[in-house]
Amino acid sequence: MHLPSWLRKSLVVMVTIFTFGLVTPTSLLPIQHDEDKSPRKAVLAESLPDVSVEEPSQVSREDFIKEMVTSAEKHSFEKFGEKIKPVIESEFQIVILPNIEKAISEVAEQYTEENLHHLSITETASAGVSERIFHIADEAKQKDVIRFHVRRDHPPQQGYWFNFHYHTAYDQFQTHHELGSIYWDKNTPPKWMS
C-alpha cells in the first residue's frame, strides 16, 4: 500500500497522540537506505512531538528536610491553637523543633534522593486531647513511616507537661522516641486547637 507522504506522517502523528506515545505505527514510517540501497532501521523522516511521561522532579535531601521541618512547625502550631501556642512557641522552636529535624533527617537517610518525593505529611493535627500532630507516609507503599505526637503528662505535684515524641514503622510504632518536654503550668491546659 502506497500512501502519500503527508498522509503517512499525519497517521503516525495521530496514532502516536491517541495512544499517548505508547504505540508508533512503524509500518507507516519511511525507511532510510544507505547509498548502496540496503535497508536500515525504520526512523522518522521528520521529528514527531515528544509524548513522554513526566517524571517527578528530584529534590535534594537538604531541600526535602527543610520543607518537611517547615511543614512540621506549621502543623505543630496548628495543633497548639491560639491558647497554647503563645505560651510554648519559643521553647518549642528552641528545644523540640531541632529534634524533629533530626528524626526527619534519619528517615530521609533511608531513601535515595530519587525516592524522597514518595514521602509526604499525610495526617494533620487532631484536636481535643488526642496526641497526633502529624504523620509522614511513604505514598508508594501507602504506609506511615514516622508519627509525631504530643502527650499531656501530669506527674504528681509537678504540674502539666507536654511530652513530644515520635514512633517509627521500624518497630511497628511501639517505642516512644523522646523529642523533649515543655512545662505548661499547675493548671490544666486547654484542649488542642482551641
Side-chain angles (χ1 to χ4, degrees):
M1 169 171 89
H2 181 61
L3 297 173
S5 176
W6 67 269
L7 183 57
R8 263 197 321 254
K9 290 176 187 175
S10 297
L11 287 171
V12 168
V13 170
M14 286 178 19
V15 169
T16 302
I17 290 172
F18 288 132
T19 62
F20 300 106
L22 298 174
V23 175
T24 303
T26 55
S27 62
L28 295 175
L29 296 175
I31 296 176
Q32 285 188 349
H33 297 278
D34 282 276
E35 275 117 80
D36 67 305
K37 306 289 183 203
S38 60
R40 288 166 62 186
K41 284 184 175 177
V43 295
L44 289 177
E46 293 179 11
S47 62
L48 294 174
D50 184 23
V51 185
S52 60
V53 176
E54 194 172 314
E55 289 292 319
S57 60
Q58 183 175 325
V59 63
S60 75
R61 195 172 310 284
E62 293 77 25
D63 288 343
F64 169 80
I65 293 167
K66 188 176 182 180
E67 183 181 315
M68 283 289 156
V69 169
T70 299
S71 189
E73 183 177 37
K74 176 184 157 269
H75 280 82
S76 298
F77 289 162
E78 219 174 82
K79 173 131 180 118
F80 301 160
E82 295 303 315
K83 293 179 181 173
I84 296 175
K85 180 186 171 200
V87 178
I88 69 168
E89 177 178 9
S90 177
E91 195 171 352
F92 174 81
Q93 290 174 320
I94 294 167
V95 177
I96 307 300
L97 200 56
N99 291 330
I100 289 175
E101 182 174 357
K102 283 181 195 170
I104 291 172
S105 296
E106 288 174 12
V107 167
E109 286 299 320
Q110 307 301 316
Y111 289 80
T112 63
E113 286 191 350
E114 295 82 22
N115 289 328
L116 282 175
H117 70 274
H118 291 299
L119 297 178
S120 66
I121 292 181
T122 59
E123 296 285 339
T124 56
S126 56
V129 293
S130 176
E131 293 187 10
R132 184 180 67 230
I133 304 174
F134 66 94
H135 297 174
I136 297 177
D138 182 331
E139 292 178 344
K141 296 177 182 172
Q142 296 184 347
K143 292 185 179 180
D144 284 348
V145 176
I146 189 167
R147 297 173 179 170
F148 290 92
H149 293 169
V150 58
R151 182 182 63 225
R152 297 160 178 247
D153 287 341
H154 187 211
Q157 310 294 319
Q158 293 184 31
Y160 286 89
W161 291 80
F162 297 130
N163 173 265
F164 293 87
H165 58 277
Y166 66 94
H167 307 273
T168 66
Y170 305 114
D171 65 1
Q172 288 73 46
F173 306 105
Q174 296 301 308
T175 305
H176 274 327
H177 300 275
E178 294 294 324
L179 294 167
S181 293
I182 298 176
Y183 179 72
W184 170 253
D185 195 288
K186 292 214 181 278
N187 297 321
T188 305
K191 291 185 177 180
W192 299 119
M193 300 177 90
S194 60

